[in-house]
Amino acid sequence: MLSFKLSWITTSLSLKGHRKLRQWIDWSLNLLADPLYGKMMTQCFKMLTQSDDGYLNKECFCSVKLLYRQRIFCYVIEPLICKYNTSPESVKENYLISILYQMDGNSYVTLSPYFSKILPLLLQLLSPEEVYVLQSLQTFCNLLESKTPVLEDYLQSFVPKLLNLSQSSKYMNIRIVALQCLYNCCDYSLIKLLPLKRQVISELSKCLDDKKRLVRKEVVRTKSRWLSIDVVNDDD
């Protein structure tokens, strides 16, 4: 009950841009390390990114400041990353979930100054045994769909991980989203895609025998796009 009340109060203060907002956010950050309330407090950071919950909106005569989500993100992201890196394993998950929630609620323009610190965390999650791999994949997919420029420099790092997930994950949704990410990778420059083309096409061929029709459909779509990359001297 305490975490629920704290989440609502913090969200209300954030919409209004109240002068005591940072004090309440600091309390929320500290409670993430609490063994009793930490897991529940992650919902506070989810609520802070939601645009309309049916109550806290202008239709209900609430005062909603412009760019309030962006201001909150800029205030909390570095403490969240720092605490994730320095906290014991028992509470790391709480900070990681909160980081993912904050990323989901903001655009690339807001994320870009912190991307070099956030991306290593996302890459760690692109592994079949990770609990939050689907949420991390969906974040990646959103960034790729928006053609986030900085991701182009990391294609060599995450494309092999996406290929691995598309084959080895036991969950159909994860395999599908991984394939969608690979499809969206083709929006980047040819010079970055060319070194990966042979590997991607070869690995995608192994997915054509997937037992799920929806996955096979996504494989064909993704492989066709990689094959259609117009490369001069591809055989060299």
mmCIF file of all heavy atoms in Angstrom, residues 41-64:
data_model
loop_
_atom_site.group_PDB
_atom_site.id
_atom_site.type_symbol
_atom_site.label_atom_id
_atom_site.label_comp_id
_atom_site.label_asym_id
_atom_site.label_seq_id
_atom_site.Cartn_x
_atom_site.Cartn_y
_atom_site.Cartn_z
ATOM 1 N N MET A 41 7.995 -0.813 -6.143
ATOM 2 C CA MET A 41 8.330 0.570 -6.478
ATOM 3 C C MET A 41 8.710 0.742 -7.942
ATOM 4 O O MET A 41 8.704 1.852 -8.455
ATOM 5 C CB MET A 41 9.469 1.068 -5.589
ATOM 6 C CG MET A 41 9.044 1.467 -4.193
ATOM 7 S SD MET A 41 7.620 2.579 -4.155
ATOM 8 C CE MET A 41 8.198 3.943 -5.145
ATOM 9 N N THR A 42 9.033 -0.347 -8.625
ATOM 10 C CA THR A 42 9.325 -0.217 -10.058
ATOM 11 C C THR A 42 8.103 0.304 -10.807
ATOM 12 O O THR A 42 8.237 0.956 -11.848
ATOM 13 C CB THR A 42 9.756 -1.568 -10.664
ATOM 14 O OG1 THR A 42 8.704 -2.527 -10.503
ATOM 15 C CG2 THR A 42 11.014 -2.090 -9.982
ATOM 16 N N GLN A 43 6.907 0.029 -10.276
ATOM 17 C CA GLN A 43 5.686 0.509 -10.924
ATOM 18 C C GLN A 43 5.586 2.030 -10.882
ATOM 19 O O GLN A 43 4.926 2.637 -11.729
ATOM 20 C CB GLN A 43 4.456 -0.117 -10.258
ATOM 21 C CG GLN A 43 4.349 -1.618 -10.450
ATOM 22 C CD GLN A 43 4.341 -2.006 -11.913
ATOM 23 O OE1 GLN A 43 3.548 -1.502 -12.708
ATOM 24 N NE2 GLN A 43 5.246 -2.900 -12.288
ATOM 25 N N CYS A 44 6.237 2.635 -9.914
ATOM 26 C CA CYS A 44 6.258 4.097 -9.847
ATOM 27 C C CYS A 44 6.933 4.661 -11.091
ATOM 28 O O CYS A 44 6.448 5.625 -11.695
ATOM 29 C CB CYS A 44 6.984 4.553 -8.584
ATOM 30 S SG CYS A 44 7.204 6.347 -8.468
ATOM 31 N N PHE A 45 8.043 4.044 -11.493
ATOM 32 C CA PHE A 45 8.778 4.539 -12.653
ATOM 33 C C PHE A 45 8.050 4.208 -13.957
ATOM 34 O O PHE A 45 8.270 4.858 -14.974
ATOM 35 C CB PHE A 45 10.196 3.974 -12.640
ATOM 36 C CG PHE A 45 11.015 4.519 -11.511
ATOM 37 C CD1 PHE A 45 11.038 3.879 -10.281
ATOM 38 C CD2 PHE A 45 11.719 5.696 -11.651
ATOM 39 C CE1 PHE A 45 11.762 4.398 -9.214
ATOM 40 C CE2 PHE A 45 12.445 6.230 -10.602
ATOM 41 C CZ PHE A 45 12.462 5.578 -9.380
ATOM 42 N N LYS A 46 7.172 3.220 -13.896
ATOM 43 C CA LYS A 46 6.311 2.949 -15.046
ATOM 44 C C LYS A 46 5.220 4.010 -15.145
ATOM 45 O O LYS A 46 4.935 4.539 -16.229
ATOM 46 C CB LYS A 46 5.685 1.559 -14.920
ATOM 47 C CG LYS A 46 4.795 1.185 -16.095
ATOM 48 C CD LYS A 46 4.235 -0.221 -15.931
ATOM 49 C CE LYS A 46 3.388 -0.608 -17.134
ATOM 50 N NZ LYS A 46 2.847 -1.985 -17.001
ATOM 51 N N MET A 47 4.608 4.327 -14.015
ATOM 52 C CA MET A 47 3.546 5.336 -13.995
ATOM 53 C C MET A 47 4.057 6.703 -14.449
ATOM 54 O O MET A 47 3.332 7.469 -15.086
ATOM 55 C CB MET A 47 2.953 5.445 -12.592
ATOM 56 C CG MET A 47 2.104 4.257 -12.181
ATOM 57 S SD MET A 47 1.460 4.415 -10.493
ATOM 58 C CE MET A 47 0.391 5.844 -10.673
ATOM 59 N N LEU A 48 5.310 6.998 -14.142
ATOM 60 C CA LEU A 48 5.873 8.301 -14.500
ATOM 61 C C LEU A 48 6.006 8.489 -16.006
ATOM 62 O O LEU A 48 6.175 9.607 -16.485
ATOM 63 C CB LEU A 48 7.248 8.474 -13.845
ATOM 64 C CG LEU A 48 7.243 8.685 -12.328
ATOM 65 C CD1 LEU A 48 8.657 8.629 -11.779
ATOM 66 C CD2 LEU A 48 6.585 10.006 -11.964
ATOM 67 N N THR A 49 5.936 7.393 -16.770
ATOM 68 C CA THR A 49 6.059 7.493 -18.227
ATOM 69 C C THR A 49 4.715 7.393 -18.937
ATOM 70 O O THR A 49 4.647 7.568 -20.152
ATOM 71 C CB THR A 49 6.967 6.378 -18.779
ATOM 72 O OG1 THR A 49 6.363 5.101 -18.525
ATOM 73 C CG2 THR A 49 8.336 6.425 -18.124
ATOM 74 N N GLN A 50 3.653 7.078 -18.212
ATOM 75 C CA GLN A 50 2.348 6.916 -18.837
ATOM 76 C C GLN A 50 1.699 8.271 -19.078
ATOM 77 O O GLN A 50 1.723 9.148 -18.216
ATOM 78 C CB GLN A 50 1.451 6.039 -17.966
ATOM 79 C CG GLN A 50 1.935 4.601 -17.877
ATOM 80 C CD GLN A 50 1.098 3.750 -16.946
ATOM 81 O OE1 GLN A 50 0.422 4.266 -16.062
ATOM 82 N NE2 GLN A 50 1.146 2.445 -17.141
ATOM 83 N N SER A 51 1.112 8.419 -20.255
ATOM 84 C CA SER A 51 0.561 9.718 -20.638
ATOM 85 C C SER A 51 -0.860 9.943 -20.124
ATOM 86 O O SER A 51 -1.272 11.074 -19.917
ATOM 87 C CB SER A 51 0.572 9.855 -22.167
ATOM 88 O OG SER A 51 -0.151 8.792 -22.763
ATOM 89 N N ASP A 52 -1.621 8.865 -19.928
ATOM 90 C CA ASP A 52 -3.012 9.045 -19.503
ATOM 91 C C ASP A 52 -3.482 7.783 -18.789
ATOM 92 O O ASP A 52 -3.585 6.726 -19.387
ATOM 93 C CB ASP A 52 -3.901 9.322 -20.720
ATOM 94 C CG ASP A 52 -5.348 9.589 -20.314
ATOM 95 O OD1 ASP A 52 -5.624 9.626 -19.108
ATOM 96 O OD2 ASP A 52 -6.184 9.758 -21.214
ATOM 97 N N ASP A 53 -3.778 7.909 -17.502
ATOM 98 C CA ASP A 53 -4.250 6.753 -16.749
ATOM 99 C C ASP A 53 -5.749 6.811 -16.485
ATOM 100 O O ASP A 53 -6.288 6.007 -15.730
ATOM 101 C CB ASP A 53 -3.497 6.639 -15.416
ATOM 102 C CG ASP A 53 -3.620 7.909 -14.587
ATOM 103 O OD1 ASP A 53 -4.563 8.682 -14.830
ATOM 104 O OD2 ASP A 53 -2.778 8.120 -13.708
ATOM 105 N N GLY A 54 -6.436 7.767 -17.096
ATOM 106 C CA GLY A 54 -7.871 7.890 -16.895
ATOM 107 C C GLY A 54 -8.258 8.874 -15.814
ATOM 108 O O GLY A 54 -9.428 9.255 -15.703
ATOM 109 N N TYR A 55 -7.289 9.283 -15.004
ATOM 110 C CA TYR A 55 -7.582 10.199 -13.902
ATOM 111 C C TYR A 55 -6.689 11.436 -13.937
ATOM 112 O O TYR A 55 -7.184 12.564 -13.860
ATOM 113 C CB TYR A 55 -7.416 9.488 -12.553
ATOM 114 C CG TYR A 55 -8.325 8.299 -12.391
ATOM 115 C CD1 TYR A 55 -7.852 7.005 -12.617
ATOM 116 C CD2 TYR A 55 -9.659 8.462 -12.031
ATOM 117 C CE1 TYR A 55 -8.690 5.908 -12.481
ATOM 118 C CE2 TYR A 55 -10.503 7.372 -11.894
ATOM 119 C CZ TYR A 55 -10.014 6.095 -12.122
ATOM 120 O OH TYR A 55 -10.838 5.015 -11.997
ATOM 121 N N LEU A 56 -5.383 11.208 -14.037
ATOM 122 C CA LEU A 56 -4.445 12.331 -13.997
ATOM 123 C C LEU A 56 -4.250 12.884 -15.406
ATOM 124 O O LEU A 56 -3.263 12.605 -16.080
ATOM 125 C CB LEU A 56 -3.107 11.880 -13.394
ATOM 126 C CG LEU A 56 -3.163 11.404 -11.941
ATOM 127 C CD1 LEU A 56 -1.799 10.908 -11.486
ATOM 128 C CD2 LEU A 56 -3.654 12.520 -11.029
ATOM 129 N N ASN A 57 -5.216 13.658 -15.872
ATOM 130 C CA ASN A 57 -5.142 14.244 -17.207
ATOM 131 C C ASN A 57 -5.899 15.567 -17.226
ATOM 132 O O ASN A 57 -6.579 15.937 -16.261
ATOM 133 C CB ASN A 57 -5.705 13.280 -18.255
ATOM 134 C CG ASN A 57 -7.098 12.797 -17.899
ATOM 135 O OD1 ASN A 57 -8.013 13.593 -17.705
ATOM 136 N ND2 ASN A 57 -7.269 11.480 -17.792
ATOM 137 N N LYS A 58 -5.780 16.276 -18.322
ATOM 138 C CA LYS A 58 -6.391 17.604 -18.424
ATOM 139 C C LYS A 58 -7.913 17.539 -18.411
ATOM 140 O O LYS A 58 -8.575 18.484 -17.976
ATOM 141 C CB LYS A 58 -5.899 18.293 -19.695
ATOM 142 C CG LYS A 58 -4.426 18.677 -19.640
ATOM 143 C CD LYS A 58 -3.997 19.431 -20.884
ATOM 144 C CE LYS A 58 -2.531 19.849 -20.777
ATOM 145 N NZ LYS A 58 -2.079 20.590 -21.985
ATOM 146 N N GLU A 59 -8.471 16.425 -18.899
ATOM 147 C CA GLU A 59 -9.929 16.280 -18.893
ATOM 148 C C GLU A 59 -10.478 16.252 -17.466
ATOM 149 O O GLU A 59 -11.634 16.597 -17.228
ATOM 150 C CB GLU A 59 -10.339 15.002 -19.635
ATOM 151 C CG GLU A 59 -10.220 15.081 -21.153
ATOM 152 C CD GLU A 59 -8.786 15.094 -21.635
ATOM 153 O OE1 GLU A 59 -7.903 14.595 -20.889
ATOM 154 O OE2 GLU A 59 -8.531 15.615 -22.736
ATOM 155 N N CYS A 60 -9.636 15.822 -16.531
ATOM 156 C CA CYS A 60 -10.026 15.809 -15.116
ATOM 157 C C CYS A 60 -9.504 17.051 -14.394
ATOM 158 O O CYS A 60 -9.402 17.067 -13.163
ATOM 159 C CB CYS A 60 -9.502 14.540 -14.443
ATOM 160 S SG CYS A 60 -10.267 13.025 -15.063
ATOM 161 N N PHE A 61 -9.156 18.067 -15.201
ATOM 162 C CA PHE A 61 -8.720 19.374 -14.680
ATOM 163 C C PHE A 61 -7.391 19.310 -13.927
ATOM 164 O O PHE A 61 -7.156 20.087 -13.002
ATOM 165 C CB PHE A 61 -9.815 19.982 -13.781
ATOM 166 C CG PHE A 61 -11.154 20.058 -14.456
ATOM 167 C CD1 PHE A 61 -12.141 19.124 -14.174
ATOM 168 C CD2 PHE A 61 -11.417 21.035 -15.405
ATOM 169 C CE1 PHE A 61 -13.369 19.172 -14.812
ATOM 170 C CE2 PHE A 61 -12.646 21.088 -16.049
ATOM 171 C CZ PHE A 61 -13.629 20.161 -15.759
ATOM 172 N N CYS A 62 -6.537 18.378 -14.333
ATOM 173 C CA CYS A 62 -5.194 18.324 -13.758
ATOM 174 C C CYS A 62 -4.283 19.306 -14.495
ATOM 175 O O CYS A 62 -4.448 19.552 -15.693
ATOM 176 C CB CYS A 62 -4.610 16.918 -13.880
ATOM 177 S SG CYS A 62 -5.419 15.696 -12.841
ATOM 178 N N SER A 63 -3.333 19.834 -13.776
ATOM 179 C CA SER A 63 -2.323 20.703 -14.375
ATOM 180 C C SER A 63 -1.183 19.829 -14.891
ATOM 181 O O SER A 63 -0.502 19.165 -14.110
ATOM 182 C CB SER A 63 -1.794 21.695 -13.334
ATOM 183 O OG SER A 63 -0.743 22.460 -13.871
ATOM 184 N N VAL A 64 -1.000 19.804 -16.215
ATOM 185 C CA VAL A 64 0.010 18.938 -16.834
ATOM 186 C C VAL A 64 1.054 19.805 -17.530
ATOM 187 O O VAL A 64 0.760 20.494 -18.507
ATOM 188 C CB VAL A 64 -0.625 17.964 -17.854
ATOM 189 C CG1 VAL A 64 0.448 17.069 -18.465
ATOM 190 C CG2 VAL A 64 -1.710 17.124 -17.189
#
